Structures are given as structure tokens and as C-alpha cells.
Amino acid sequence: MSTIPYTIVRNILSDAMDKMAVKVCYELENHGMVAIPTGTNGPTEFDTLTGRFRNSVSAKHCAVKAGLGRIGKNTLLVTPEYGNMVWLSVILTDAELEADKVIEVSPCPEGCSLCIDICPAKALGHSEMNQINCWNYAFGGENGGDFKIKCFKCREICPNCLGDRRRMKQF
Ligand code: B12
């Protein structure tokens, strides 16, 4: 039941992906293109107009446009290969890249509301996910301990958690 392994993997992957993104930017710049890393997990801006945490770009929406997958009811990107257990990092560039075909089909099995029902913070199932509820419940110290990711139930309950290597239902 420990939240430590997930937190470690999340932190290490975020760092690894930021480093990869910067390397790719160097490569693109060496080829005369503009390339800007946007940060895998922030730092984010707080948008006082909407009361939302925001990055420069929404990685999930970029990924949909790039044909990597679709956003499910848990508001996460679900890819056919790896399900929702993917982490994303975005590079802004003027390189002319060819996008994959956009995936049209929804990843959620019909009538499924497992992620909405299990969310202890009641953050899902509204027109927009309730960031503050999720943040307050899922991120921070337990009993005064170090910062951890304390909840990722909306990922693990999903029938598409791990993609076609396990139980991909829909794609
Ligand atoms: C801020 C943030 C959070 C906030 C708020 C998340 C939220 N959904 O609102 C908090 C701290 C609560 C959070 C929680 C989590 N997060 Co988070 N988070 C981010 C971060 C850093 C920025 C998101 C952002 O700024 N979005 C911009 C705004 C505009 O997008 P939005 O609010 O999602 O958009 C809404 C509307 O604008 C509108 N909309 C409709 N159409 C369109 C079209 C476009 C183009 C846009 C922009 C918007 C839009 O609908 C959207 C959905 O409500 C991203 C990294 C990134 N660069 O994207 C990771 C990211 C989204 N998080 C991620 C993850 C994994 C999580 C958690 C599972 C962490 C955990 N507990 O383990 C939870 C689960 C949350 C959930 N079920 O959605 C992953 C998602 C991976 C995936 N498979 O999809 C990301 C991409 C990080 C990463 N590097 O991989 N997160």
C-alpha cells in the first residue's frame, strides 16, 4: 500500500524526460530549428482568472493531436500500446514534422464510470476535472512526511491502465 514506489518512478521519469527533451532540443537547434522544452511536470503557472494550474501547453491535448492516443473519462491520455500509464513531455518547435493519424475512437468502454466513482476527492465526472480537490487529496506529505503522490486510483482502476500488454478494452 506504500505510495513511495509510484512517487519515485514519477520523479525519476519526470527528470529523465526533461533531460531527454533538452537533448532533443539541442539536436533540433543544431539543425537550425527553434526548439523549446516546456517541462514534464512543471513548473506550472497558476492562472488566477480560472483558478487552475497550467503549463505552457497541455501535454495530453498535444498528444491527441499527434495521434498518440485519446483522453478518457479520467481526463488522462490513453494510448493503445501503454494505456494511461504514460508520462508526456512537450517540445515546441518550428521543425516541420509529420503527425500520425489522429485516433478517433474513445478509449472508455461504454457506460464505464470506474474512475469517476472511485475518486476519493470527487474530482472527476464534471465538465472539467476539479484540480484543487485532486491536488489537496493526492499530493503532499502523509502525516507530516515528505511530499508524495498519495493517490492515483483513477489510473489503476481503469480497464485501459496498461494498454494492450494487459487488458486494452476499446482501441
Ligand atoms: C497541472 C497538472 C495537474 C493538476 C491538474 C490536472 C488537471 N487535469 O486539470 C493536478 C496537480 C491536480 C494534476 C493531477 C494529476 N496529474 Co497532472 N499535470 C498537470 C500538468 C503539469 C499541466 C496541465 C495543464 O496545464 N493543462 C493545461 C490546461 C489548459 O489543460 P486542462 O486543464 O487539462 O484542460 C481542460 C480544459 O482546458 C478543456 N479543454 C478542452 N479542449 C481542450 C483543448 C485544448 C487544446 C486545451 C489546451 C484544453 C482543452 O478540457 C480540459 C479537461 O478538463 C500536466 C503536464 C502538461 N504539460 O500538460 C500534468 C499531467 C496532465 N498530469 C499527469 C498525471 C499522470 C496526473 C495524475 C495522475 C498524477 C497522480 N496522482 O498520479 C493526476 C491525475 C489527474 C487527472 N485524473 O486528471 C500526466 C498525464 C499523463 C496521461 N497519461 O495523461 C501529465 C501530462 C504529466 C506528464 N508529464 O505526463 N495534474
Side-chain angles (χ1 to χ4, degrees):
M1 297 304 288
S2 170
T3 56
I4 292 173
Y6 182 90
T7 304
I8 293 174
V9 172
R10 179 258 197 192
N11 291 347
I12 296 283
L13 279 184
S14 302
D15 182 57
M17 290 180 67
D18 276 338
K19 286 180 176 137
M20 278 192 268
V22 171
K23 266 192 190 165
V24 173
C25 287
Y26 282 149
E27 280 304 310
L28 289 170
E29 287 190 346
N30 281 339
H31 288 82
M33 293 148 198
V34 175
I36 303 163
T38 61
T40 301
N41 265 311
T44 49
E45 307 278 5
F46 187 73
D47 181 355
T48 48
L49 282 180
T50 54
R52 296 178 76 90
F53 299 100
R54 286 187 192 276
N55 214 314
S56 325
V57 284
S58 169
K60 296 177 293 189
H61 295 92
C62 292
V64 170
K65 291 282 181 196
L68 295 182
R70 294 293 303 185
I71 294 174
K73 284 182 193 164
N74 55 10
T75 83
L76 297 171
L77 182 88
V78 183
T79 75
E81 298 86 356
Y82 305 108
N84 73 50
M85 275 295 174
V86 288
W87 297 92
L88 306 161
S89 203
V90 177
I91 293 168
L92 300 176
T93 178
D94 62 358
E96 285 184 23
L97 303 170
E98 204 179 310
D100 290 330
K101 210 168 156 273
V102 170
I103 296 174
E104 300 293 348
V105 59
S106 159
C108 300
E110 214 180 310
C112 183
S113 62
L114 288 172
C115 56
I116 297 170
D117 299 339
I118 202 171
C119 176
K122 302 275 171 270
L124 299 173
H126 322 291
S127 58
E128 288 203 339
M129 123 15 123
N130 188 317
Q131 287 191 342
I132 299 295
N133 284 13
C134 175
W135 172 259
N136 286 343
Y137 184 84
F139 296 76
E142 283 161 314
N143 307 320
D146 288 338
F147 176 93
K148 293 192 210 69
I149 313 284
K150 297 178 285 186
C151 177
F152 41 91
K153 291 187 166 62
C154 60
R155 294 191 110 170
E156 54 179 1
I157 192 80
C158 176
N160 290 325
C161 178
L162 294 171
D164 58 13
R165 291 172 307 144
R166 289 271 176 94
R167 304 169 281 167
M168 202 66 179
K169 294 285 186 222
Q170 193 70 4
F171 279 120

